[in-house]
Amino acid sequence: MSGRIEAVNISHGGVPKAPVFEAPVSSGGVGGDTHTDLVRHGGPDRAVTLFSLDVIDALQAEGHLVTAGSTGENLTVSGVDWTMVAPGTQLTIGGTVRLEVTGYTTPCAKLSAQFRNGDFMRISQKKHPGFSRVCAKVLTDGVVRAGDSVDVS
């Protein structure tokens, strides 16, 4: 299964994350991206957060205001069956960067403005399987760019 990177997103803490053309990725995270809450965000097993543009489109069709980067993901991916992206899944980006999904992210109340009626739990894996963001550790460092291919294994 393959897709592509639609957006690379970073911020200096908080959401939304803004798009950049490219960024280095390592076990320390995505270059230029910082976290204000290091207990809940970041670290080697949560170095990169990913979300599906296809899921974002479905959420927008329900009336939610989510956009690429607005829920805090670093990489926005399209063309991948998001229900198949689960802990243990590996992704190769641009032929060089390798990630392994380590878990589903926990929705945060700071995202409530992005959701109709403040329902930020709409992206909870427990309540709505297949609609969650995921976090990943970096197996192989490199640079990710908008437009890069994403191969899932």
Side-chain angles (χ1 to χ4, degrees), residues 76-152:
T76 310
V77 179
S78 69
V80 170
D81 180 354
W82 203 245
T83 62
M84 303 303 293
V85 179
T89 301
Q90 292 190 6
L91 301 99
T92 303
I93 301 170
T96 56
V97 174
R98 288 196 49 84
L99 307 176
E100 182 176 332
V101 176
T102 55
Y104 299 104
T105 63
T106 303
C108 174
K110 291 180 181 176
L111 301 177
S112 62
Q114 303 297 316
F115 293 90
R116 194 178 71 214
N117 301 321
D119 184 17
F120 65 93
M121 293 302 286
R122 182 62 185 88
I123 58 172
S124 164
Q125 180 65 18
K126 290 179 183 175
K127 292 186 174 211
H128 303 279
F131 280 80
S132 178
R133 299 160 298 152
V134 297
C135 50
K137 64 182 176 181
V138 177
L139 302 176
T140 306
D141 297 358
V143 175
V144 294
R145 293 174 184 85
D148 277 353
S149 63
V150 177
D151 294 307
V152 180

Side-chain angles (χ1 to χ4, degrees), residues 13 21 27 35 40 48 57 61 63 65 69 96 102 105 107 114 119 132 136 153:
F21 176 68
S27 62
H35 303 282
R40 292 180 186 90
V48 180
D57 289 344
L65 302 175
T96 56
T102 55
T105 63
Q114 303 297 316
D119 184 17
S132 178
S153 57

Side-chain angles (χ1 to χ4, degrees), residues 6-11 16-23 67-70 73-74 76 146:
E6 294 295 335
V8 178
N9 311 296
I10 63 171
S11 77
K17 292 188 184 290
V20 295
F21 176 68
E22 67 180 19
T67 59
S70 71
E73 81 273 11
N74 299 115
T76 310

